[in-house]
Structure formats: C-alpha cells, structure tokens
Amino acid sequence: MTDAPVTIEGLACPVPLTHGEQIVMGHGSGGKMTHDLIRKTFLPCFDNPALRAGDDAGVVRIDEKTRLAISTDMHTVQPLFFPGGDIGKLAVCGTVNDVAMVGARPLYLSAAFILEEGLEMDVLGKVVASMSETARTAGVQIVAGDTKVVQRGKADGLYINTTGIGILMPGIEVSGANACPGDVVIVSGSLGEHGMAVLAARGQLGLETDIQSDVAALNHVIAEVLERCPNVHVLRDPTRGGLGTTLNEIARQSQVNITLQEDQIPVRPEVEAACAILGFDPLYIANEGKFIAILPPGDAEIVLDILHKHALGRQAVVIGEVHADPPGRVLMKTSYGSTRIVEMLAGEILPRIC
Ligand code: MG
C-alpha cells in the first residue's frame, strides 16, 4: 500500500492505493470488512462530524433548536418475499429504525428503485403496496423517489434505496459513543429470526421450519422508551452482523467493555436448532425488528416495563453490563462459567439478507 494522500488522474485522493484489491461479498456483511471499507475508503473522502460519529443515522444541527437525523439504506434481499415480510417492508423499516436509533422521530422517507427489465408489474405492485402499508403503520410519509431500469440479467428483479429524515427532541443524546461503565445492556427480544427466515425462504435450511422474519418498525416503541427515560445512552438495531458485531461497534465507539451473560441471551428454540445444524452462531445472524438499549441501571426496570407491555418487546431482557476494562472489547460469560471474547463478524455468512 502507498501512504495517503495520493493523486489519481488529477484528483487528490485521501484513499490509499490497494493495487488491484477488489470488492468481495464480505464487504457487504456489515461486519469487520464493511467497517474497514467505510474507515479506509469512504470516511477519508467524505469526512465530517456527523459521519465520523459512526451511528445508524447522521445527526446535523440546523439551528439552536433543530437537529435532524438522516439515514439511508440499500435493499437487495433475495428472495423478494420471505416469511414475515418482503423487500418493501424491509426497505421502510430498515431506514425508519436507523433514524429512530439516534433517538430521532422519523418523519419522511424517499424511495428509489432499480428495476430489472422483465420484472412482473404485479410483483412491483405488491412490493409498493407493502411499503405503503408499512409507512402508514410507522407514521412516516414517502415524499420523494426515483426509478431506473436496467437490462435483463443486470439486477435480481429489483433493488430499493430508502432515505429517511427525522427530528430530535431537545435533551435527547443517544449515540454508540455514550455507553458508560455501570450501564446495563437490554435487548428487546429474541435473536436471529430475520436471517434464518430468509435462508428458509431460499430453501437453504434443509429442514421444515416456521421461523418468521421479525421485520418491524421500532420508532413507536423507541418514542415511548425515550419519553419515560430520556437518559438512555445508546440505542442500536442489531441488523447485518448481528448482536455480536453491533456490540463491538458500541464498545469501540465508547471505549468500554461490554460483558454479556450467555444464558440471558434470548434465542427461540427453532432458530437455535437451525443455527446448530448449519454451524451458525445466533450472535451474528441479522435481526430487523429488535434493538439494544444501553442505559443507567436505575432506568432498567422502567424500560423493561415499557417493553414488556409492547408487542415488539415482550421478551426484552438484560443481557449484560458495561465496564471500563478492557476498552473496545465484548466478552461473554458462558453458561459453563468461563469467559470468551466476542469478535466482530469476520467475512460473510449470509449474503443478501437485507
Ligand atoms: Mg442500524
């Protein structure tokens, strides 16, 4: 590698030259390779405080009173329809949730479509109807959009990009950088259902299962939590890369240790069984309707009480706590009493699940 900065065809480029390195599927995993790609290629070129914060949405201040949260997401899931959802529902929920995860109230979305020549119009109609219904339920409006068509064979039916904008209430300061020693870690429900539901829809599980994707808009339940407990430090949805990767991101952002209790981590028996057969760890399987909340221990009871009364938080549970040392690390106290390191997802185990 050459040291930055370099010049490529007259453009000053802060990205180090890699001499032929190419994009591989792992760059889309949401795990370590995605993080390295962002850190080495995108961040040096686009660098600014909102992006550097490394949260699910960028937060920008417009004036004394107004802060906006902006997030964007591409959706390439295959197949387009799976148990519990479809690419349209995923595209709305994914962006609504990322805006909500910085403590903002999502208001408006844009939706952009890459359509493949030959796509059945009825398939598109069904996806768009699903987006409409999901947006209505989430209380957001889709106010802008774009459509491009590519030739047959150049896309898998359709891809969707959604961008969302939301507003932050005064006093709300939620970021992956705000976890403090002594805080507790709550997860809103059981893990791994989305990833395994998509695999089942592809016929790759090799067994009959009724696992449904958990895809859901979390903004209303998050709003309830923040109304009662504005002092929540961190919110994040463990999507691609799963809980293991998400907690590693937070441990690095906050420079803290997060220690989990293995026997507290909620996984449905059918997900556990499917993971065992395929050799997957549910810690790294994607969720699309769950979130992590990290907060002072005094608020844990209130948040659990809110979640237990909500359809999207019935199985919410404390799964760990935050310590000062070792900073940037996630540890797991196992059911056998030993402690192991939980790393960020390396490589790609389930491509194209969102
Ligand atoms: Mg997210």
Side-chain angles (χ1 to χ4, degrees), residues 155-173:
D156 257 332
L158 79 151
Y159 304 139
I160 305 176
N161 168 268
T162 46
T163 297
I165 192 161
I167 196 153
L168 275 123
M169 292 298 130
I172 299 292
E173 296 292 342

Side-chain angles (χ1 to χ4, degrees), residues 58-69:
V59 175
V60 290
R61 183 174 284 286
I62 305 301
D63 58 36
E64 262 314 286
K65 288 187 192 148
T66 318
R67 286 177 303 159
L68 297 179

Side-chain angles (χ1 to χ4, degrees), residues 55-57 71 73 94 97-98 101 236-240 246 249:
D55 287 317
D56 280 354
S71 193
D73 213 333
N97 291 348
D98 279 344
M101 292 304 144
R236 191 155 296 176
D237 51 347
T239 52
R240 273 178 319 166
T246 301
E249 290 169 2

Side-chain angles (χ1 to χ4, degrees), residues 10-329:
L11 267 177
C13 179
V15 179
L17 292 177
T18 63
H19 302 291
E21 195 186 319
Q22 294 183 351
I23 290 291
V24 296
M25 291 306 287
H27 286 117
S29 66
K32 186 174 182 308
M33 291 185 76
T34 308
H35 281 84
D36 288 348
L37 181 69
I38 293 168
R39 189 171 51 82
K40 290 181 189 163
T41 303
F42 295 119
L43 203 50
C45 283
F46 301 152
D47 188 35
N48 59 63
L51 201 58
R52 215 178 303 137
D55 287 317
D56 280 354
V59 175
V60 290
R61 183 174 284 286
I62 305 301
D63 58 36
E64 262 314 286
K65 288 187 192 148
T66 318
R67 286 177 303 159
L68 297 179
I70 303 162
S71 193
T72 191
D73 213 333
M74 286 297 309
H75 297 274
T76 63
V77 66
Q78 271 296 316
L80 299 175
F81 301 90
F82 46 83
D86 59 81
I87 190 171
K89 185 174 184 184
L90 201 56
V92 171
C93 292
T95 294
V96 161
N97 291 348
D98 279 344
V99 171
M101 292 304 144
V102 293
R105 201 177 117 217
L107 296 172
Y108 301 105
L109 299 189
S110 73
F113 299 82
I114 293 175
L115 306 174
E116 183 187 5
E117 182 185 23
L119 176 71
E120 296 276 348
M121 205 61 92
D122 287 352
V123 169
L124 179 60
K126 209 170 151 189
V127 168
V128 174
S130 173
M131 292 178 78
S132 162
E133 171 63 17
T134 309
R136 195 187 56 75
T137 311
V140 298
Q141 286 185 305
I142 298 171
V143 296
D146 186 40
T147 306
K148 296 285 188 295
V149 179
V150 297
Q151 297 95 328
R152 209 176 281 268
K154 302 288 185 188
D156 257 332
L158 79 151
Y159 304 139
I160 305 176
N161 168 268
T162 46
T163 297
I165 192 161
I167 196 153
L168 275 123
M169 292 298 130
I172 299 292
E173 296 292 342
V174 175
S175 166
N178 291 353
C180 296
D183 282 355
V184 297
V185 182
I186 289 174
V187 68
S188 65
S190 51
L191 299 176
E193 285 140 40
H194 175 72
M196 298 319 272
V198 173
L199 267 198
R202 288 180 193 161
Q204 289 177 338
L205 276 190
L207 69 157
E208 285 288 311
T209 175
D210 55 1
I211 301 170
Q212 301 263 319
S213 168
D214 59 340
V215 57
L218 296 164
N219 55 321
H220 295 315
V221 64
I222 294 288
E224 271 184 59
V225 166
L226 290 176
E227 199 163 302
R228 293 272 303 281
C229 289
N231 198 25
V232 168
H233 291 157
V234 183
L235 294 167
R236 191 155 296 176
D237 51 347
T239 52
R240 273 178 319 166
L243 181 80
T245 299
T246 301
L247 290 178
N248 266 282
E249 290 169 2
I250 296 165
R252 288 176 196 192
Q253 278 180 272
S254 295
Q255 279 301 297
V256 293
N257 160 258
I258 296 174
T259 299
L260 302 173
Q261 294 291 338
E262 187 171 49
D263 53 11
Q264 291 301 307
I265 293 175
V267 182
R268 283 174 187 270
E270 57 269 37
V271 170
E272 187 100 63
C275 282
I277 289 167
L278 295 167
F280 293 151
D281 184 341
L283 275 187
Y284 298 106
I285 307 296
N287 312 278
E288 292 289 345
K290 303 288 158 40
F291 65 96
I292 296 154
I294 301 182
L295 55 148
D299 287 345
E301 278 302 312
I302 306 168
V303 170
L304 285 173
D305 189 51
I306 296 166
L307 292 177
H308 291 161
K309 288 178 180 148
H310 202 286
L312 296 175
R314 293 253 152 75
Q315 264 107 46
V317 63
V318 172
I319 55 167
E321 52 192 34
V322 179
H323 302 280
D325 291 307
R329 277 283 184 204

